[in-house]
Every structure is written in C-alpha cells, then in structure tokens.
Amino acid sequence: MDEFFVYGTFFGVLLFLFPIFVYIDSYADIGGNKVYFAVSLYRVLRVFGGYGELRREGIAIHLTKKYAVFLPYSKLADTRKKFEITEGFQLWRFHQVVETGGAGSVYSVLTAAAIQSASGAAFSLLRTRHPFLSLKNSAVFSEKPCLKLTTQTAIVFNGLILLTALIKKALEALINWIRKRKSTASWKRQPSN
C-alpha cells in the first residue's frame, strides 16, 4: 500500500509539472468570409473545431452542425476581459502562410512584401521577449484573386498553471458573488420613505 502511495504521489507531481501543448490550427478565407479552426492536444488529440463567420450583427462560431455560439459586436470588449491569459501560458510556436492572388499583379507582390515586412518586425520584437519561440512566415502567390491565411499556433503550459488559473477564476467569481450579495443586502436594509 505504501508503494502505491509513493508511485501515485510521484505520477501526480509529474502530471502537474509535465508540459501540455495546445495546438490551434486555423485557415481564413477572406473572400469566403469564413475562418476554420481546430484545437488539439499534442497535435494528436482533437479537442474541438469548427468555423466562424462574420455576420451583420456579430460573429457566429459554429462548433457542430447544430450548435453555434453568437458573439454580438457590442459585447466583444466584455468577452475579451473574461478570457484574460495569465503569464504561465506561453506562446511556443507561430507559423503563418499568406496566399494572395494575381501572381502577375504588382499590387499582389506589394501586398505580400508589406505582410512579410510587418511580420518580420513583429517577429523580431517577439524574439527578444521569447527567444525559444518558433516563428515562420511565408507568402504564396495564386493565379486566381484571393486572400487566404493559414496559421499554426502552439501554446505550452503545465497542470499547475492550469490549476492556478482555474482557482483564480473561481475566487474572482466568489468575490463578485459576495459583493453582489452585500450590495443587495444593504439595499434591502435601507429605510423606505
């Protein structure tokens, strides 16, 4: 029984410290107004995927054929505040390929050059902060007019960071609930005129 406890403790600590790699693969077709995405663990275990599209009222994210999430433009700022990423989640890889149409057009060449220049400047700033980061940028010319973007992003963290983030969110929710409850209780105690 003691061996089971020792082995269980060892593997539990190892599980908390073992790095977890989350890959986000996306393909954006600007002309088709769709962004396809897939989220997987270690590029092997698919967690979920789907596609998103811009609508007049907001962004529709289709996770299955029958289930979609709709984010109105007016509430996007609030949504961004809810999904704050802590320092423990590190960007490990960012690879992108930009496909532009009109291989013989001067404007397509200038667009690709501008994208390459902007990406190079952004990548050099990211490299100074994260020297281990894998960054790649490519441009492809197509015969037909189009603008498409393919990205592969990898984020690394461990179980301890994930547990810390979950506890932080739970405590924030508890504090907000207590504040709301106190404000409601003090409002009920006010004398009526």
Side-chain angles (χ1 to χ4, degrees), residues 98-106 108-109 139-148:
V98 178
E99 182 179 350
T100 60
S105 172
V106 175
S108 297
V109 174
V140 177
F141 294 110
S142 173
E143 293 296 325
K144 298 178 182 177
C146 66
L147 181 59
K148 299 176 183 177

Side-chain angles (χ1 to χ4, degrees), residues 5-165:
F5 179 73
V6 170
Y7 287 132
T9 304
F10 173 73
F11 286 116
V13 169
L14 186 64
L15 182 67
F16 272 118
L17 299 178
F18 191 73
I20 300 169
F21 291 90
V22 176
Y23 283 84
I24 304 166
D25 297 314
S26 65
Y27 171 75
D29 184 5
I30 307 301
N33 192 25
K34 288 191 180 178
V35 176
Y36 300 92
F37 62 91
V39 177
S40 60
L41 296 173
Y42 305 103
R43 294 195 76 187
V44 177
L45 302 170
R46 184 174 179 219
V47 178
F48 65 90
Y51 68 93
E53 59 184 339
L54 295 175
R55 299 282 177 107
R56 190 176 309 137
E57 304 85 22
I59 300 172
I61 301 172
H62 301 269
L63 298 173
T64 64
K65 289 182 180 180
K66 295 185 179 183
Y67 182 73
V69 177
F70 186 73
L71 300 172
Y73 292 127
S74 60
K75 297 194 179 186
L76 282 180
D78 296 336
T79 306
R80 186 185 62 82
K81 292 176 186 175
K82 289 180 184 177
F83 295 106
E84 178 184 338
I85 296 178
T86 63
E87 288 291 322
F89 296 90
Q90 294 293 322
L91 183 64
W92 183 66
R93 168 186 276 175
F94 184 77
H95 296 180
Q96 73 176 6
V97 177
V98 178
E99 182 179 350
T100 60
S105 172
V106 175
Y107 298 114
S108 297
V109 174
L110 289 175
T111 302
I115 291 170
Q116 288 282 93
S117 298
S119 298
F123 286 179
S124 65
L125 291 174
L126 285 171
R127 279 274 184 179
T128 57
R129 188 169 178 201
H130 306 287
F132 55 86
L133 188 59
S134 172
L135 297 166
K136 289 184 183 175
N137 183 27
S138 301
V140 177
F141 294 110
S142 173
E143 293 296 325
K144 298 178 182 177
C146 66
L147 181 59
K148 299 176 183 177
L149 176 69
T150 305
T151 63
Q152 182 189 69
T153 308
I155 299 170
V156 64
F157 57 93
N158 60 21
L160 187 60
I161 296 298
L162 184 62
L163 182 66
T164 305

